[in-house]
Amino acid sequence: MQIVPIASGKGGVGKSLLSANLAIALGQAGKRVVLADLDLGASNLHLAIGQTVRKNSIGTYLTDKTPFQSVIEPTEYENVSFIAGDSQIPGLTSLKAAQKAKLVRNFHSIDADFLILDLGAGTHQIILDMFLQSPQGIIVTSPAVTATLDGYLFLKNSVFRLMYTTFKRGTPGYMLIESLKKSSDTLKSLYIPRLVSELEKIDPENTKLFVSRMNQFRPRLVMNMIDDPKDADRAQRIRNSCSQYLGLELEYLGLMYRDQLQDKALASRLPVIIYKPRSVLAQAIYRIAEKVIAAEPRQFDKEFNATMDSAATFQLAEEDAAADYRLKLSGIDDLVGSGQLSTGELIEMIKTQQYELAQLKKENLLLKSKIVRAAKQGFTV
């Protein structure tokens, strides 16, 4: 079985659209496919395939001790089964290490040709660990500057997670990596090939293993929502930055044009390739499916375990506001430094982030006013 994790650094770029339609396209090609909704906390993949909400889900499996096999349910599409997530059960976005390991073991025991994991957006540890269940995960992005940057940052965090999993706690390499977190300037200018050179000097054995795993690691990029053939250039920009700053070779899997058809298909509760199989968007998905089938399967070495040593985790962007800010700055530095981000695009990025900050301030003020009102009511009582 091949595991195909599908992720995105930013929401709203078509990750679930690709996951659902790719599963059905593979099923039509005669492959046995299991599609799993791992966007825990915001599970809605069932809408993309027209599946009704089922009683059994990953949520009930993790909380009610439902047998795992019972959460794998057939769909109306040939050769495709579905595992629902569960946004109604709190706490699923931060699974305990034992829950995550148990879930991964069950995933690997599934009898199918492909297991497609539709992951949540962002860089939470569970998302990175699930993405690293295969060296051939798919990252979905769009030509928007924020989406491009977030896609790059997702891959940067994936490399860090791979590094932390390789350099175990207490090793010289681990202690060097830990020391990097104490300096925001170091994080901003972090250059993985240069770091590898330093690690080779103090921890050659583990560095050799990390380099081997980086050679195995071949994420695949899908550029969605393009309006013009020139938009595809953004894919090459991400690839160049990954190669130069991360020492990571990124493969290009395909592109999909922006099409209002997906909204119509979703409203009809039908996948695009069922709603209009001859459309440009559907044909793009079929081409991606053909490449997935034709690709030579890759695997990490047998010793690799992306769920191991959960305490020894890099402080990822979304878990800490300060780290988030530093990592975004480092991503901008990388893209500007390599000439992949123009002055105009940098201005667009700054404007977007200023708008997001303004929105957050408004939300904070609203929350503060609600807390003050609630406190006053409590005191009067």
Side-chain angles (χ1 to χ4, degrees):
M1 182 187 67
Q2 293 184 49
I3 298 179
V4 184
I6 301 181
S8 64
K10 182 179 178 65
V13 295
K15 170 182 57 62
S16 294
L17 166 77
L18 177 62
S19 298
N21 285 274
L22 177 60
I24 294 168
L26 292 172
Q28 290 175 346
K31 303 299 181 182
R32 296 170 302 143
V33 184
V34 174
L35 173 65
D37 188 352
L38 281 189
D39 191 354
L40 303 178
S43 303
N44 57 13
L45 186 60
H46 60 283
L47 298 176
I49 61 172
Q51 191 89 343
T52 57
V53 178
R54 301 300 178 101
K55 179 180 178 181
N56 292 329
S57 65
I58 288 177
T60 58
Y61 161 68
L62 292 173
T63 57
D64 296 338
K65 298 184 179 179
T66 304
F68 182 77
Q69 199 60 35
S70 69
V71 307
I72 306 175
E73 301 196 353
T75 69
E76 60 184 280
Y77 305 107
E78 184 181 9
N79 297 319
V80 179
S81 299
F82 181 62
I83 300 176
D86 207 325
S87 60
Q88 303 303 316
I89 297 179
L92 287 185
T93 54
S94 54
L95 296 183
K96 296 177 182 177
Q99 288 179 309
K100 184 167 54 177
K102 183 180 177 183
L103 189 59
V104 167
R105 284 197 302 272
N106 278 287
F107 280 154
H108 282 274
S109 69
I110 290 175
D111 182 20
D113 297 310
F114 290 94
L115 169 62
I116 296 180
L117 304 178
D118 180 40
L119 305 178
T123 53
H124 286 298
Q125 182 186 324
I126 184 173
I127 296 174
L128 294 175
D129 285 351
M130 290 300 175
F131 189 73
L132 290 173
Q133 291 306 308
S134 167
Q136 294 174 295
I138 297 174
I139 181 79
V140 183
T141 188
S142 74
V145 180
T146 51
T148 301
L149 175 60
D150 286 338
Y152 170 77
L153 287 174
F154 180 89
L155 293 168
K156 186 172 185 176
N157 275 291
S158 297
V159 171
F160 266 110
R161 183 59 182 148
L162 185 64
M163 186 179 290
Y164 256 92
T165 308
T166 302
F167 291 90
K168 300 298 186 294
R169 184 185 293 273
T171 62
Y174 176 88
M175 289 186 281
L176 173 61
I177 299 165
E178 276 286 296
S179 68
L180 296 176
K181 297 193 297 186
K182 299 176 183 177
S183 170
S184 60
D185 291 335
T186 304
L187 278 176
K188 280 178 59 178
S189 59
L190 194 59
Y191 182 53
I192 298 297
R194 187 180 304 155
L195 175 58
V196 169
S197 297
E198 294 300 315
L199 288 167
E200 282 178 335
K201 297 175 184 177
I202 62 171
D203 197 342
E205 185 177 349
N206 285 316
T207 304
K208 182 179 179 181
L209 180 58
F210 173 68
V211 170
S212 172
R213 288 173 176 173
M214 283 292 288
N215 289 333
Q216 295 163 0
F217 191 29
R218 286 291 184 276
R220 298 174 286 186
L221 180 70
V222 170
M223 181 68 70
N224 188 23
M225 298 180 177
I226 71 168
D227 296 307
D228 185 278
K230 293 181 181 178
D231 289 339
D233 293 343
R234 296 290 175 89
Q236 186 61 39
R237 295 182 185 187
I238 296 176
R239 183 176 183 273
N240 291 343
S241 292
C242 285
S243 178
Q244 182 175 354
Y245 290 98
L246 306 182
L248 176 66
E249 294 303 317
L250 189 64
E251 295 184 358
Y252 186 51
L253 193 58
L255 56 84
M256 301 188 295
Y257 275 85
R258 188 189 302 275
D259 196 331
Q260 297 302 319
L261 180 67
Q262 56 187 292
D263 296 328
K264 295 178 181 178
L266 184 60
S268 302
R269 298 192 63 135
L270 285 173
V272 170
I273 63 173
I274 300 296
Y275 183 76
K276 204 166 185 179
R278 300 195 179 208
S279 64
V280 173
L281 184 56
Q283 291 304 307
I285 293 167
Y286 278 123
R287 284 195 298 273
I288 291 171
E290 289 172 2
K291 290 180 181 178
V292 169
I293 293 172
E296 182 178 350
R298 284 174 169 266
Q299 288 186 344
F300 285 117
D301 56 272
K302 293 181 180 179
E303 297 301 317
F304 178 71
N305 184 351
T307 64
M308 188 183 296
D309 197 16
S310 61
T313 306
F314 191 76
Q315 296 303 306
L316 301 172
E318 294 184 354
E319 297 176 355
D320 183 272
D324 184 30
Y325 181 69
R326 290 194 298 268
L327 283 170
K328 279 188 176 294
L329 286 180
S330 71
I332 293 173
D333 281 352
D334 292 352
L335 293 177
V336 171
S338 62
Q340 306 304 319
L341 195 64
S342 67
T343 303
E345 290 167 342
L346 182 58
I347 292 171
E348 179 190 340
M349 168 69 69
I350 293 171
K351 287 181 177 178
T352 300
Q353 294 202 357
Q354 285 176 337
Y355 173 77
E356 291 175 353
L357 284 172
Q359 293 300 111
L360 284 172
K361 286 179 180 178
K362 289 179 182 178
E363 291 175 11
N364 284 337
L365 287 173
L366 178 62
L367 286 172
K368 286 180 181 178
S369 65
K370 288 183 176 180
I371 291 170
V372 170
R373 285 199 302 270
K376 286 182 178 178
Q377 291 173 357
F379 288 139
T380 57
V381 173

